[in-house]
Amino acid sequence: MLARLMVVTAVALAVSCGNDDPGPTIAVGAGDSMESNLLAQIYAGALARTGARTSVAADLGRRADYLAALDAGTVTVVGEHSGELLTFLNPGAQARKPEVTTDVADKSVPVRLSVTEELNRSLPEGLAVSDPADGTDMRSRVLLTEAVAIRDNVRSIGALAPRCGAIEAGVAPVPDVLSAVGPVRIAGCDFAGTRPYPDVAALRKALLDGEIQAGILTGPTGLVPGATDGLTILTDADYAVRAENVLAVYRKGLLDDREIRKLNYVAGELTTDELAQMIRKVRDGANAAEVARAWLDTHAL
């Protein structure tokens, strides 16, 4: 009897341990940029709070590299921008807005897809995306000097569009963000020419000196404080620049419903300003995992 009791007890302990097992490690991939690594730390930290075992696979390279790792199953999740990913997967995609409202009852009006809808149609077999973070706007920004904006009464890209053919624009990268796919595409605005600048400071100087008539930053201005002083950032309510919302890309079948919901919870809380602030902290020497943990704590995620 004692021997049988010991066997039953051992089996019960084994089942209990099995139920507590968090399963295989969820590897969250990150490219070479600071933003990519920070997003990976946020997603890994959020998923770990569901009880999953997680790790971060950092420095995987550029977009093609970390998407290849995702496709090969080396990683399960990566952070992305909706518009850039759509452009990478489907260069001919027409969608520009994060959401599209079309009266489908009017058959004379063509049904247009949102960026998220067209992205879902363009994803390779076996991949899916989380909800986009509506509070993030990682689009490129178009700049004019304040004097020119006032003189020509131009406050939006739409108002600038008729003049683009006579304007030369400068382009400067915003540091530490996910890599762009080729040149910035601005619907309805084909500049007479574009000129690259090494950084935002050089672009600002060229604008203020009249060397160029417009400037393009390849990301939000919150990542380059002070770089737009004396300049006007044109609004883009019509999405002449394709929507760029942060989202997670993941392999189907490897995350359970609770883990997918957690990724969507992150999307519901993340904002452009918060992401820019976190990137600046990491840029100044803070540990990305600690910055991500503090943000998750603040949002009770």
Side-chain angles (χ1 to χ4, degrees):
M1 287 291 293
L2 181 59
R4 290 175 61 188
L5 182 60
M6 291 174 66
V7 170
V8 170
T9 302
V11 171
L13 286 171
V15 171
S16 176
C17 291
N19 288 341
D20 291 338
D21 184 359
T25 298
I26 299 173
V28 184
D32 293 340
S33 72
M34 200 172 289
E35 180 193 358
S36 186
N37 182 50
L38 181 58
L39 290 175
Q41 297 292 349
I42 290 172
Y43 293 138
L47 291 169
R49 295 181 183 201
T50 69
R53 183 187 294 116
T54 64
S55 65
V56 172
D59 301 320
L60 294 179
R62 295 175 67 83
R63 179 170 282 108
D65 302 311
Y66 60 72
L67 290 179
L70 185 65
D71 185 60
T74 306
V75 298
T76 302
V77 183
V78 297
E80 258 293 358
H81 292 173
S82 56
E84 290 288 352
L85 182 58
L86 175 59
T87 301
F88 181 84
L89 296 173
N90 182 2
Q94 298 300 307
R96 309 204 69 80
K97 296 184 177 182
E99 295 180 0
V100 176
T101 55
T102 303
D103 183 5
V104 294
D106 185 353
K107 302 303 181 182
S108 66
V109 178
V111 176
R112 293 183 174 85
L113 298 176
S114 69
V115 168
T116 305
E117 289 170 332
E118 194 156 4
L119 175 57
N120 275 303
R121 294 188 180 195
S122 303
L123 287 170
E125 186 75 21
L127 297 185
V129 295
S130 71
D131 293 343
D134 294 334
T136 59
D137 182 358
M138 306 303 287
R139 288 180 291 171
S140 296
R141 271 51 168 179
V142 179
L143 312 171
L144 298 178
T145 63
E146 290 179 358
V148 169
I150 293 171
R151 183 195 69 196
D152 297 338
N153 193 28
V154 173
R155 297 292 177 180
S156 68
I157 294 179
L160 180 69
R163 310 166 188 259
C164 289
I167 291 176
E168 183 176 26
V171 182
V174 171
D176 305 321
V177 297
L178 289 169
S179 60
V181 181
V184 178
R185 303 178 184 183
I186 304 175
C189 180
D190 295 321
F191 290 110
T194 56
R195 188 183 304 187
Y197 288 86
D199 53 46
V200 179
L203 177 69
R204 177 175 178 272
K205 184 177 186 303
L207 267 171
L208 294 175
D209 290 348
E211 185 178 308
I212 51 177
Q213 294 78 53
I216 302 173
L217 295 183
T218 62
T221 57
L223 283 164
V224 283
T228 58
D229 291 349
L231 304 178
T232 294
I233 305 167
L234 300 185
T235 60
D236 187 21
D238 294 327
Y239 287 87
V241 179
R242 177 175 282 163
E244 297 289 354
N245 301 108
V246 171
L247 46 67
V249 191
Y250 60 90
R251 289 186 63 83
K252 291 180 180 177
L254 298 182
L255 301 179
D256 61 29
D257 289 343
R258 184 175 53 165
E259 291 159 352
I260 294 171
R261 285 198 302 271
K262 182 65 77 169
L263 294 177
N264 290 336
Y265 292 156
V266 170
E269 296 292 329
L270 192 61
T271 67
T272 309
D273 289 344
E274 289 178 324
L275 183 55
Q277 184 181 47
M278 286 188 283
I279 291 173
R280 293 200 307 269
K281 286 181 179 179
V282 176
R283 186 190 290 164
D284 290 340
N287 179 274
E290 294 177 0
V291 171
R293 187 181 306 113
W295 182 83
L296 291 167
D297 288 343
T298 298
H299 291 271
L301 290 170

